[in-house]
Amino acid sequence: MTEWETVVGLEVHCELATATKLFCACRNAFGDEPNTNICPVCLGLPGSLPVLNRGAVELAMRLGLALGCTVEPSLFHRKNYFYPDMPKDYQVSQYDQPINVDGVLELADGTRVGIERAHLEEDTGKSTHVGGGGRIHEADHSLVDYNRAGVPLVEVVSRPDLRSAEAARAYVNELRAVLVATGASDARMEEGSMRVDANISVRPVDFSTLGTRCEVKNLNSTRSLGRAIDYEARRQIALLEAGEQVTQQTRHWDEADGRTHPLRSKEEAYDYRYFPEPDLVPLVPGDAWRTSVAESLPPLPAPRRRRLAEATGSATAAVAVVVERGLDDLVLAALAAGGDAQRLVVHAEHDLAGGVGALTTDAFAALTRMEADGALTATQAKAVLAELVANGGDPAAVAAALGYEAMAGDALAVAVDDAIAANPDAWARYLAGDTKVSGFFVGQVMRATKGQADGRVVTALLGQRADAGG
Amino acid sequence: MGDESTYLAAGEIAAAVRGGERSAVEVVEEHLAVIAGREPEVHAFNAVGDAQARMAAELIDRRVAAGEDPGPLAGVPVALKDNLCTAGVPTTCSSRILEGWLPPYDATVVTRLGLAGAIAMGKTNLDEFAMGSSTENSAFGPTRNPHDLTRVPGGSSGGSAAAVAAGFAPLALGSDTGGSIRQPAALCGVVGVKPTYGRVSRYGLIAFASSLDQIGPLAPTVADAALLLEVIAGHDPLDSTSIPEPSPSLVAGLDAGVEGLRIGVVAELMGEGVAPDVRRRVEAAAEVLAGAGAKVEEAEVPAVAYGLSAYYLIAPAEASSNLARYDGVRYGLRVDAPTTATMNVATRTAGFGAEVKRRIMLGTYALSAGYYDAYYGKAQQVRTLIVRDFAAAYESFDLLVSPTSPTTAFPLGAKAADPLTMYLSDVCTIPSNLAGDPAVSVPFGVGDDGLPVGVQILAPALAEATMLQAAAVLEDAMAGEAGTP
């Protein structure tokens, strides 16, 4: 039986976070009253002409450079097709000379996904089909909001380097992180400022040629993306195993029934009649501009993850979460201030999801140091940290206020000895090798110390007593 | 064709209005009277804005009375080709498809005219969407040549050329994609200038072929054309293809002459297809230029022979895309049908005339997958060759000369049935559009039929000043001759 491999390439449309649209001075804003951010240019009125927004070019370059792309001299083309939400009945886009080419996106697990291109284009308006369940064919009538028409987009096209639904989701998350880090886009799938189409094919695992692909549209969340890839791969494998062929076509993901449905085949594909947009001149960003954009890039997720992993020796998954939360700078600063690497990462990963609040670098460092010294248990440290986030302050003072008396080693030893003395039978079983009894003793000591003992230290002390000959 | 005062050159009208010697209202009334007399037979206008013109004139007079200077075109009526957007005034492109549409904004040239004190007199007829050479392809009926009403005025700016020739307005604006200013100027016996591509903002000019379209002046004299061009030219941030140069000084040095200039007569545009009487007028013009001190020789620009073929791929290709927006969804005509797609088709079928449909189909074909390289791609290569050949010619010559139109004005209907014959009307003018260079048509006497002949002077990019100096020499030479229309 053939073992199959899923091959996925993604095309992600990202709305750039510019103040104004790509070719006019209308506001670029989500959620405004329909048809209020419009003018002759973005409505494509007769006689109007586009003027390229420098800010959009800069954000596109920021994204491209962040993805390791080469910024090339580029050209705008017209993509011609009729659709009511497209005011000119052509879309101004980049075709064979895109602004960004040949990059790579490194995922959290180290996978490197090739970026073929990341080009600039204008968005269309937004149609709402009224009646008939929202599908165009059954609608009574349609309404078009042109506020979105002319909003700048970058379309990021990956190479077919993804091998699973999970990898595709990780790619989208990583791209979102880069978009947010560079300020290129707010990258919100639910608001449509980030839209994903997936090219999916399957092939026997040991093959290098690509199978016939289907492009799946209408993926409104990373969850839909994952489900659609899994469904589509199963569908294609079933076809091939039944001795049939996969037809190259565009398919529509239906979230409700969990399946993809054919939209149009390759033969029915539009002939977009691309040609160079004569109303615009070639876009040739100068070296100085390109260099200044490159130098203004913030640290990006992948190098930040590497930096944190090297500094703390923590596991990949934990490091990824900390960087995703944007807590890596805090962790590194606290580490420099003498904090405990492991504990800093653990707290950043698990206890700071809601933000750092009033927590200072020094307090964070001191907290983990107290923990490492055994002055606080893990449970206590967590409670102290919550208080530091809520109200700030010094961890020692907070711990004292919470009644977490610094439990001196001697006091704990006394408590352990008391517990042994009070439970001779149990201690005999422990000495006989029944280590499960250690849990009992830890519980006894905890009760006696009102939870201020560190369970691990208690266990260690029990071991010492046993070694000493009971 | 009107009393003496109507023929005051635009510059003189402006000077008189600015000096308070004439009122703008009076100037407008005189022109409205001429229009009332002959417009019914000429049909130069789609709409005469008489009320607006009177009010605008009154404002000019008030400003003069208040001691202000309304500008270099104070009180001068200007006729606007009906593909230039005018805020709140119907702009039709002589097409049914724009029925009922009111532009919410003025074209940059219209704004600049207003700032210069000019009075918009109305919107002139054209071949639908500027596609044609006779102004017969108008949804609102043809314009007739004021010199002979059985003849066409040329096109597509036939309404603007006829308006100037008939004295309806001393100045007019046209647009020139393949000769649409120069050819009607020649056929109507007026001066018409196609400026360097990018010299005049296209913002608000309803596009035919964006990489070729250029707005320019039509006027009774070279000086008036120069004056109007000075007003409308200069960089406009709203047009990305606008040249970042200020408006050139043209009127001041107009009498500089051609002494010492090297002028070439384009051999490829003097041969087959050019009527003998037209050819003789061009030869006579060459002699006049030589007599004025220019060094005149034959010039070769081989690639212009392919200009027409390249043009009829590039222009329709761009047009097929530019005209896609007339789909019945947002403005203009809508012919209802059950689905959006069928509504699009019904609207476009009813709204566009035959020539527009022909060019949309030609252009769609030329851009289609599998044909792009053979048609559009090849045409762009030819365009590059034409640019190269002109550049080579301008190494030896300062200016070039040719006929504007191969013939004088032809009878209405003579070429309407045969598009190819009609397309040949533009064989001499198209190369300048493909090269992006400026050219002017200046009246230079009449042909055997007594109708005006235009001589075309071509110049390298941005050399409008030298070009118009040569045109002025030809104009001066004709000034004394009797029988000039």
Side-chain angles (χ1 to χ4, degrees), chain A residues 44-48 50-51 78 80 82 87 89-90 271 274 279, chain B residues 105 202 204-205 210 237 240 321-322 324-325 327 330 340 369 372:
Chain A
L45 292 189
S48 65
V51 177
R78 290 186 185 177
N80 295 284
F82 284 88
D89 287 303
Y90 59 79
D271 177 358
Y274 282 99
D279 288 330
Chain B
Y105 69 103
R202 291 184 296 117
L205 164 66
S210 313
S240 307
S321 174
N322 283 330
R325 69 190 67 189
D327 58 8
R330 290 159 301 274
T340 308
Y372 181 95

PDB file of all heavy atoms in Angstrom, chain A residues 44-48 50-51 78 80 82 87 89-90 271 274 279, chain B residues 105 202 204-205 210 237 240 321-322 324-325 327 330 340 369 372:
ATOM      1  N   GLY A  44     -12.748  54.084  -9.207  1.00  0.00           N
ATOM      2  CA  GLY A  44     -12.432  53.859 -10.618  1.00  0.00           C
ATOM      3  C   GLY A  44     -13.288  54.713 -11.537  1.00  0.00           C
ATOM      4  O   GLY A  44     -13.622  54.300 -12.644  1.00  0.00           O
ATOM      5  N   LEU A  45     -13.637  55.914 -11.094  1.00  0.00           N
ATOM      6  CA  LEU A  45     -14.469  56.756 -11.953  1.00  0.00           C
ATOM      7  C   LEU A  45     -13.707  57.110 -13.224  1.00  0.00           C
ATOM      8  O   LEU A  45     -12.482  57.195 -13.227  1.00  0.00           O
ATOM      9  CB  LEU A  45     -14.877  58.045 -11.220  1.00  0.00           C
ATOM     10  CG  LEU A  45     -15.838  57.881 -10.044  1.00  0.00           C
ATOM     11  CD1 LEU A  45     -16.327  59.242  -9.551  1.00  0.00           C
ATOM     12  CD2 LEU A  45     -17.052  57.032 -10.434  1.00  0.00           C
ATOM     13  N   PRO A  46     -14.443  57.324 -14.322  1.00  0.00           N
ATOM     14  CA  PRO A  46     -13.800  57.690 -15.578  1.00  0.00           C
ATOM     15  C   PRO A  46     -12.866  58.888 -15.377  1.00  0.00           C
ATOM     16  O   PRO A  46     -13.243  59.864 -14.721  1.00  0.00           O
ATOM     17  CB  PRO A  46     -14.982  58.065 -16.477  1.00  0.00           C
ATOM     18  CG  PRO A  46     -16.138  57.289 -15.932  1.00  0.00           C
ATOM     19  CD  PRO A  46     -15.907  57.222 -14.451  1.00  0.00           C
ATOM     20  N   GLY A  47     -11.660  58.785 -15.937  1.00  0.00           N
ATOM     21  CA  GLY A  47     -10.719  59.895 -15.880  1.00  0.00           C
ATOM     22  C   GLY A  47      -9.819  59.903 -14.663  1.00  0.00           C
ATOM     23  O   GLY A  47      -8.845  60.640 -14.624  1.00  0.00           O
ATOM     24  N   SER A  48     -10.130  59.079 -13.653  1.00  0.00           N
ATOM     25  CA  SER A  48      -9.288  59.088 -12.456  1.00  0.00           C
ATOM     26  C   SER A  48      -8.009  58.287 -12.715  1.00  0.00           C
ATOM     27  O   SER A  48      -7.977  57.414 -13.579  1.00  0.00           O
ATOM     28  CB  SER A  48     -10.048  58.495 -11.275  1.00  0.00           C
ATOM     29  OG  SER A  48     -10.331  57.133 -11.506  1.00  0.00           O
ATOM     30  N   PRO A  50      -4.338  56.473 -10.764  1.00  0.00           N
ATOM     31  CA  PRO A  50      -3.731  56.032  -9.499  1.00  0.00           C
ATOM     32  C   PRO A  50      -2.397  56.743  -9.230  1.00  0.00           C
ATOM     33  O   PRO A  50      -1.647  57.035 -10.149  1.00  0.00           O
ATOM     34  CB  PRO A  50      -3.476  54.546  -9.766  1.00  0.00           C
ATOM     35  CG  PRO A  50      -3.204  54.477 -11.240  1.00  0.00           C
ATOM     36  CD  PRO A  50      -4.062  55.556 -11.872  1.00  0.00           C
ATOM     37  N   VAL A  51      -2.134  57.010  -7.959  1.00  0.00           N
ATOM     38  CA  VAL A  51      -0.808  57.492  -7.547  1.00  0.00           C
ATOM     39  C   VAL A  51      -0.344  56.593  -6.411  1.00  0.00           C
ATOM     40  O   VAL A  51      -1.032  56.451  -5.398  1.00  0.00           O
ATOM     41  CB  VAL A  51      -0.865  58.960  -7.075  1.00  0.00           C
ATOM     42  CG1 VAL A  51       0.508  59.413  -6.587  1.00  0.00           C
ATOM     43  CG2 VAL A  51      -1.350  59.873  -8.193  1.00  0.00           C
ATOM     44  N   ARG A  78      -2.101  45.056 -14.948  1.00  0.00           N
ATOM     45  CA  ARG A  78      -3.551  44.984 -14.759  1.00  0.00           C
ATOM     46  C   ARG A  78      -3.996  43.538 -14.934  1.00  0.00           C
ATOM     47  O   ARG A  78      -3.612  42.890 -15.909  1.00  0.00           O
ATOM     48  CB  ARG A  78      -4.277  45.851 -15.787  1.00  0.00           C
ATOM     49  CG  ARG A  78      -4.100  47.337 -15.581  1.00  0.00           C
ATOM     50  CD  ARG A  78      -4.967  48.092 -16.558  1.00  0.00           C
ATOM     51  NE  ARG A  78      -4.759  49.519 -16.499  1.00  0.00           N
ATOM     52  CZ  ARG A  78      -5.365  50.387 -17.308  1.00  0.00           C
ATOM     53  NH1 ARG A  78      -6.213  49.939 -18.248  1.00  0.00           N
ATOM     54  NH2 ARG A  78      -5.140  51.666 -17.197  1.00  0.00           N
ATOM     55  N   ASN A  80      -7.243  41.586 -15.572  1.00  0.00           N
ATOM     56  CA  ASN A  80      -8.564  41.958 -16.085  1.00  0.00           C
ATOM     57  C   ASN A  80      -9.605  40.864 -15.871  1.00  0.00           C
ATOM     58  O   ASN A  80      -9.425  39.735 -16.339  1.00  0.00           O
ATOM     59  CB  ASN A  80      -8.463  42.231 -17.592  1.00  0.00           C
ATOM     60  CG  ASN A  80      -7.594  43.437 -17.914  1.00  0.00           C
ATOM     61  OD1 ASN A  80      -8.007  44.575 -17.736  1.00  0.00           O
ATOM     62  ND2 ASN A  80      -6.375  43.183 -18.381  1.00  0.00           N
ATOM     63  N   PHE A  82     -14.181  40.723 -14.899  1.00  0.00           N
ATOM     64  CA  PHE A  82     -15.365  41.471 -14.470  1.00  0.00           C
ATOM     65  C   PHE A  82     -15.855  40.962 -13.125  1.00  0.00           C
ATOM     66  O   PHE A  82     -16.050  39.769 -12.944  1.00  0.00           O
ATOM     67  CB  PHE A  82     -16.498  41.324 -15.509  1.00  0.00           C
ATOM     68  CG  PHE A  82     -16.279  42.155 -16.735  1.00  0.00           C
ATOM     69  CD1 PHE A  82     -15.555  41.675 -17.809  1.00  0.00           C
ATOM     70  CD2 PHE A  82     -16.784  43.455 -16.806  1.00  0.00           C
ATOM     71  CE1 PHE A  82     -15.342  42.451 -18.938  1.00  0.00           C
ATOM     72  CE2 PHE A  82     -16.580  44.238 -17.924  1.00  0.00           C
ATOM     73  CZ  PHE A  82     -15.858  43.735 -19.002  1.00  0.00           C
ATOM     74  N   PRO A  87     -14.000  48.001  -8.902  1.00  0.00           N
ATOM     75  CA  PRO A  87     -14.543  49.197  -9.569  1.00  0.00           C
ATOM     76  C   PRO A  87     -14.089  49.377 -11.024  1.00  0.00           C
ATOM     77  O   PRO A  87     -14.851  49.857 -11.842  1.00  0.00           O
ATOM     78  CB  PRO A  87     -14.022  50.344  -8.704  1.00  0.00           C
ATOM     79  CG  PRO A  87     -13.751  49.743  -7.375  1.00  0.00           C
ATOM     80  CD  PRO A  87     -13.337  48.319  -7.632  1.00  0.00           C
ATOM     81  N   ASP A  89     -13.008  46.933 -12.970  1.00  0.00           N
ATOM     82  CA  ASP A  89     -13.061  45.637 -13.633  1.00  0.00           C
ATOM     83  C   ASP A  89     -11.675  45.173 -14.069  1.00  0.00           C
ATOM     84  O   ASP A  89     -11.521  44.361 -14.978  1.00  0.00           O
ATOM     85  CB  ASP A  89     -14.075  45.609 -14.785  1.00  0.00           C
ATOM     86  CG  ASP A  89     -15.507  45.598 -14.243  1.00  0.00           C
ATOM     87  OD1 ASP A  89     -15.824  44.689 -13.461  1.00  0.00           O
ATOM     88  OD2 ASP A  89     -16.286  46.507 -14.583  1.00  0.00           O
ATOM     89  N   TYR A  90     -10.672  45.729 -13.415  1.00  0.00           N
ATOM     90  CA  TYR A  90      -9.330  45.129 -13.425  1.00  0.00           C
ATOM     91  C   TYR A  90      -8.702  45.454 -12.086  1.00  0.00           C
ATOM     92  O   TYR A  90      -9.068  46.435 -11.438  1.00  0.00           O
ATOM     93  CB  TYR A  90      -8.453  45.621 -14.584  1.00  0.00           C
ATOM     94  CG  TYR A  90      -8.186  47.108 -14.651  1.00  0.00           C
ATOM     95  CD1 TYR A  90      -7.242  47.722 -13.837  1.00  0.00           C
ATOM     96  CD2 TYR A  90      -8.871  47.904 -15.565  1.00  0.00           C
ATOM     97  CE1 TYR A  90      -6.997  49.083 -13.915  1.00  0.00           C
ATOM     98  CE2 TYR A  90      -8.639  49.267 -15.645  1.00  0.00           C
ATOM     99  CZ  TYR A  90      -7.699  49.846 -14.816  1.00  0.00           C
ATOM    100  OH  TYR A  90      -7.466  51.188 -14.885  1.00  0.00           O
ATOM    101  N   ASP A 271      -8.961  34.032 -18.119  1.00  0.00           N
ATOM    102  CA  ASP A 271      -7.785  34.545 -18.806  1.00  0.00           C
ATOM    103  C   ASP A 271      -7.687  36.014 -18.391  1.00  0.00           C
ATOM    104  O   ASP A 271      -8.472  36.841 -18.840  1.00  0.00           O
ATOM    105  CB  ASP A 271      -7.972  34.414 -20.330  1.00  0.00           C
ATOM    106  CG  ASP A 271      -6.797  35.001 -21.099  1.00  0.00           C
ATOM    107  OD1 ASP A 271      -5.873  35.539 -20.451  1.00  0.00           O
ATOM    108  OD2 ASP A 271      -6.807  34.921 -22.335  1.00  0.00           O
ATOM    109  N   TYR A 274      -3.202  39.828 -18.409  1.00  0.00           N
ATOM    110  CA  TYR A 274      -2.269  40.741 -17.745  1.00  0.00           C
ATOM    111  C   TYR A 274      -1.530  41.595 -18.774  1.00  0.00           C
ATOM    112  O   TYR A 274      -1.091  41.079 -19.806  1.00  0.00           O
ATOM    113  CB  TYR A 274      -1.213  39.938 -16.993  1.00  0.00           C
ATOM    114  CG  TYR A 274      -1.654  39.363 -15.665  1.00  0.00           C
ATOM    115  CD1 TYR A 274      -2.052  38.038 -15.562  1.00  0.00           C
ATOM    116  CD2 TYR A 274      -1.617  40.136 -14.515  1.00  0.00           C
ATOM    117  CE1 TYR A 274      -2.410  37.489 -14.339  1.00  0.00           C
ATOM    118  CE2 TYR A 274      -1.976  39.600 -13.288  1.00  0.00           C
ATOM    119  CZ  TYR A 274      -2.373  38.278 -13.208  1.00  0.00           C
ATOM    120  OH  TYR A 274      -2.720  37.747 -11.987  1.00  0.00           O
ATOM    121  N   ASP A 279      -0.854  53.453 -16.416  1.00  0.00           N
ATOM    122  CA  ASP A 279      -1.065  54.651 -15.606  1.00  0.00           C
ATOM    123  C   ASP A 279      -0.049  54.781 -14.467  1.00  0.00           C
ATOM    124  O   ASP A 279      -0.088  55.750 -13.710  1.00  0.00           O
ATOM    125  CB  ASP A 279      -2.485  54.657 -15.017  1.00  0.00           C
ATOM    126  CG  ASP A 279      -3.535  54.945 -16.087  1.00  0.00           C
ATOM    127  OD1 ASP A 279      -3.212  55.667 -17.047  1.00  0.00           O
ATOM    128  OD2 ASP A 279      -4.666  54.438 -15.968  1.00  0.00           O
TER     129      ASP A 279
ATOM    130  N   TYR B 105     -15.888  65.695 -10.202  1.00  0.00           N
ATOM    131  CA  TYR B 105     -14.632  66.441 -10.121  1.00  0.00           C
ATOM    132  C   TYR B 105     -14.254  66.999 -11.495  1.00  0.00           C
ATOM    133  O   TYR B 105     -14.747  66.530 -12.521  1.00  0.00           O
ATOM    134  CB  TYR B 105     -13.512  65.542  -9.594  1.00  0.00           C
ATOM    135  CG  TYR B 105     -13.082  64.451 -10.554  1.00  0.00           C
ATOM    136  CD1 TYR B 105     -11.907  64.593 -11.283  1.00  0.00           C
ATOM    137  CD2 TYR B 105     -13.838  63.303 -10.755  1.00  0.00           C
ATOM    138  CE1 TYR B 105     -11.500  63.606 -12.176  1.00  0.00           C
ATOM    139  CE2 TYR B 105     -13.452  62.318 -11.627  1.00  0.00           C
ATOM    140  CZ  TYR B 105     -12.280  62.465 -12.336  1.00  0.00           C
ATOM    141  OH  TYR B 105     -11.888  61.507 -13.220  1.00  0.00           O
ATOM    142  N   ARG B 202      -3.088  64.008 -17.416  1.00  0.00           N
ATOM    143  CA  ARG B 202      -4.245  63.266 -17.940  1.00  0.00           C
ATOM    144  C   ARG B 202      -5.324  63.091 -16.878  1.00  0.00           C
ATOM    145  O   ARG B 202      -6.344  62.440 -17.146  1.00  0.00           O
ATOM    146  CB  ARG B 202      -3.801  61.878 -18.423  1.00  0.00           C
ATOM    147  CG  ARG B 202      -2.927  61.913 -19.665  1.00  0.00           C
ATOM    148  CD  ARG B 202      -2.604  60.496 -20.149  1.00  0.00           C
ATOM    149  NE  ARG B 202      -1.806  59.748 -19.191  1.00  0.00           N
ATOM    150  CZ  ARG B 202      -2.198  58.642 -18.566  1.00  0.00           C
ATOM    151  NH1 ARG B 202      -3.390  58.117 -18.797  1.00  0.00           N
ATOM    152  NH2 ARG B 202      -1.398  58.036 -17.708  1.00  0.00           N
ATOM    153  N   GLY B 204      -8.452  63.247 -15.161  1.00  0.00           N
ATOM    154  CA  GLY B 204      -9.760  63.739 -15.577  1.00  0.00           C
ATOM    155  C   GLY B 204     -10.018  63.616 -17.065  1.00  0.00           C
ATOM    156  O   GLY B 204     -11.104  63.953 -17.534  1.00  0.00           O
ATOM    157  N   LEU B 205      -9.042  63.144 -17.803  1.00  0.00           N
ATOM    158  CA  LEU B 205      -9.269  62.797 -19.212  1.00  0.00           C
ATOM    159  C   LEU B 205      -9.743  61.347 -19.224  1.00  0.00           C
ATOM    160  O   LEU B 205      -9.032  60.450 -18.746  1.00  0.00           O
ATOM    161  CB  LEU B 205      -7.969  62.922 -20.022  1.00  0.00           C
ATOM    162  CG  LEU B 205      -7.976  62.235 -21.400  1.00  0.00           C
ATOM    163  CD1 LEU B 205      -8.977  62.916 -22.338  1.00  0.00           C
ATOM    164  CD2 LEU B 205      -6.584  62.254 -22.026  1.00  0.00           C
ATOM    165  N   SER B 210      -4.130  54.675 -22.376  1.00  0.00           N
ATOM    166  CA  SER B 210      -3.427  55.493 -21.381  1.00  0.00           C
ATOM    167  C   SER B 210      -1.985  55.833 -21.743  1.00  0.00           C
ATOM    168  O   SER B 210      -1.502  56.902 -21.392  1.00  0.00           O
ATOM    169  CB  SER B 210      -3.442  54.773 -20.036  1.00  0.00           C
ATOM    170  OG  SER B 210      -4.742  54.310 -19.756  1.00  0.00           O
ATOM    171  N   PRO B 237       0.783  66.171  -9.577  1.00  0.00           N
ATOM    172  CA  PRO B 237       0.993  64.983  -8.733  1.00  0.00           C
ATOM    173  C   PRO B 237      -0.124  63.949  -8.847  1.00  0.00           C
ATOM    174  O   PRO B 237       0.050  62.816  -8.405  1.00  0.00           O
ATOM    175  CB  PRO B 237       1.068  65.554  -7.316  1.00  0.00           C
ATOM    176  CG  PRO B 237       0.516  66.933  -7.393  1.00  0.00           C
ATOM    177  CD  PRO B 237       0.712  67.417  -8.792  1.00  0.00           C
ATOM    178  N   SER B 240       0.641  59.978 -12.372  1.00  0.00           N
ATOM    179  CA  SER B 240       1.963  59.392 -12.135  1.00  0.00           C
ATOM    180  C   SER B 240       2.862  59.475 -13.355  1.00  0.00           C
ATOM    181  O   SER B 240       4.078  59.343 -13.240  1.00  0.00           O
ATOM    182  CB  SER B 240       1.818  57.920 -11.737  1.00  0.00           C
ATOM    183  OG  SER B 240       0.926  57.782 -10.668  1.00  0.00           O
ATOM    184  N   SER B 321      -9.180  47.249 -21.654  1.00  0.00           N
ATOM    185  CA  SER B 321      -9.099  47.273 -20.200  1.00  0.00           C
ATOM    186  C   SER B 321      -9.709  48.565 -19.625  1.00  0.00           C
ATOM    187  O   SER B 321     -10.496  48.527 -18.678  1.00  0.00           O
ATOM    188  CB  SER B 321      -7.630  47.138 -19.791  1.00  0.00           C
ATOM    189  OG  SER B 321      -7.457  47.285 -18.412  1.00  0.00           O
ATOM    190  N   ASN B 322      -9.358  49.700 -20.235  1.00  0.00           N
ATOM    191  CA  ASN B 322      -9.879  50.986 -19.741  1.00  0.00           C
ATOM    192  C   ASN B 322     -11.403  51.058 -19.789  1.00  0.00           C
ATOM    193  O   ASN B 322     -12.031  51.719 -18.974  1.00  0.00           O
ATOM    194  CB  ASN B 322      -9.317  52.142 -20.572  1.00  0.00           C
ATOM    195  CG  ASN B 322      -7.883  52.473 -20.201  1.00  0.00           C
ATOM    196  OD1 ASN B 322      -7.463  52.285 -19.064  1.00  0.00           O
ATOM    197  ND2 ASN B 322      -7.117  52.955 -21.173  1.00  0.00           N
ATOM    198  N   ALA B 324     -13.479  48.545 -19.508  1.00  0.00           N
ATOM    199  CA  ALA B 324     -14.161  47.454 -18.805  1.00  0.00           C
ATOM    200  C   ALA B 324     -15.096  47.989 -17.722  1.00  0.00           C
ATOM    201  O   ALA B 324     -16.120  47.397 -17.416  1.00  0.00           O
ATOM    202  CB  ALA B 324     -13.127  46.502 -18.188  1.00  0.00           C
ATOM    203  N   ARG B 325     -14.711  49.141 -17.134  1.00  0.00           N
ATOM    204  CA  ARG B 325     -15.464  49.660 -15.983  1.00  0.00           C
ATOM    205  C   ARG B 325     -16.887  50.074 -16.348  1.00  0.00           C
ATOM    206  O   ARG B 325     -17.706  50.270 -15.447  1.00  0.00           O
ATOM    207  CB  ARG B 325     -14.700  50.829 -15.362  1.00  0.00           C
ATOM    208  CG  ARG B 325     -14.661  52.059 -16.236  1.00  0.00           C
ATOM    209  CD  ARG B 325     -13.689  53.099 -15.696  1.00  0.00           C
ATOM    210  NE  ARG B 325     -12.301  52.608 -15.784  1.00  0.00           N
ATOM    211  CZ  ARG B 325     -11.267  53.217 -15.239  1.00  0.00           C
ATOM    212  NH1 ARG B 325     -11.449  54.322 -14.544  1.00  0.00           N
ATOM    213  NH2 ARG B 325     -10.052  52.729 -15.386  1.00  0.00           N
ATOM    214  N   ASP B 327     -19.783  48.901 -16.862  1.00  0.00           N
ATOM    215  CA  ASP B 327     -20.428  47.590 -16.729  1.00  0.00           C
ATOM    216  C   ASP B 327     -21.851  47.679 -16.196  1.00  0.00           C
ATOM    217  O   ASP B 327     -22.477  46.666 -15.925  1.00  0.00           O
ATOM    218  CB  ASP B 327     -19.568  46.700 -15.812  1.00  0.00           C
ATOM    219  CG  ASP B 327     -19.351  47.322 -14.424  1.00  0.00           C
ATOM    220  OD1 ASP B 327     -19.998  48.357 -14.120  1.00  0.00           O
ATOM    221  OD2 ASP B 327     -18.541  46.781 -13.650  1.00  0.00           O
ATOM    222  N   ARG B 330     -22.174  50.735 -11.413  1.00  0.00           N
ATOM    223  CA  ARG B 330     -22.065  51.905 -10.535  1.00  0.00           C
ATOM    224  C   ARG B 330     -22.619  53.204 -11.107  1.00  0.00           C
ATOM    225  O   ARG B 330     -23.066  54.068 -10.372  1.00  0.00           O
ATOM    226  CB  ARG B 330     -20.605  52.129 -10.134  1.00  0.00           C
ATOM    227  CG  ARG B 330     -20.043  51.088  -9.188  1.00  0.00           C
ATOM    228  CD  ARG B 330     -18.520  51.070  -9.234  1.00  0.00           C
ATOM    229  NE  ARG B 330     -18.065  50.778 -10.582  1.00  0.00           N
ATOM    230  CZ  ARG B 330     -17.904  49.550 -11.071  1.00  0.00           C
ATOM    231  NH1 ARG B 330     -18.097  48.516 -10.293  1.00  0.00           N
ATOM    232  NH2 ARG B 330     -17.552  49.344 -12.317  1.00  0.00           N
ATOM    233  N   THR B 340     -25.898  39.418 -12.800  1.00  0.00           N
ATOM    234  CA  THR B 340     -24.912  40.485 -12.988  1.00  0.00           C
ATOM    235  C   THR B 340     -24.233  40.352 -14.344  1.00  0.00           C
ATOM    236  O   THR B 340     -24.082  41.328 -15.080  1.00  0.00           O
ATOM    237  CB  THR B 340     -23.851  40.428 -11.868  1.00  0.00           C
ATOM    238  OG1 THR B 340     -24.524  40.402 -10.622  1.00  0.00           O
ATOM    239  CG2 THR B 340     -22.956  41.648 -11.923  1.00  0.00           C
ATOM    240  N   ALA B 369      -4.338  34.942 -23.614  1.00  0.00           N
ATOM    241  CA  ALA B 369      -3.314  33.921 -23.395  1.00  0.00           C
ATOM    242  C   ALA B 369      -3.037  33.199 -24.716  1.00  0.00           C
ATOM    243  O   ALA B 369      -3.954  32.812 -25.421  1.00  0.00           O
ATOM    244  CB  ALA B 369      -3.801  32.936 -22.338  1.00  0.00           C
ATOM    245  N   TYR B 372      -0.717  36.903 -26.731  1.00  0.00           N
ATOM    246  CA  TYR B 372      -0.079  38.104 -26.188  1.00  0.00           C
ATOM    247  C   TYR B 372       1.274  38.378 -26.848  1.00  0.00           C
ATOM    248  O   TYR B 372       1.540  39.479 -27.321  1.00  0.00           O
ATOM    249  CB  TYR B 372       0.081  37.923 -24.679  1.00  0.00           C
ATOM    250  CG  TYR B 372       0.701  39.097 -23.964  1.00  0.00           C
ATOM    251  CD1 TYR B 372      -0.097  40.064 -23.355  1.00  0.00           C
ATOM    252  CD2 TYR B 372       2.090  39.232 -23.878  1.00  0.00           C
ATOM    253  CE1 TYR B 372       0.464  41.130 -22.675  1.00  0.00           C
ATOM    254  CE2 TYR B 372       2.667  40.307 -23.206  1.00  0.00           C
ATOM    255  CZ  TYR B 372       1.850  41.246 -22.615  1.00  0.00           C
ATOM    256  OH  TYR B 372       2.415  42.308 -21.953  1.00  0.00           O
TER     257      TYR B 372
END
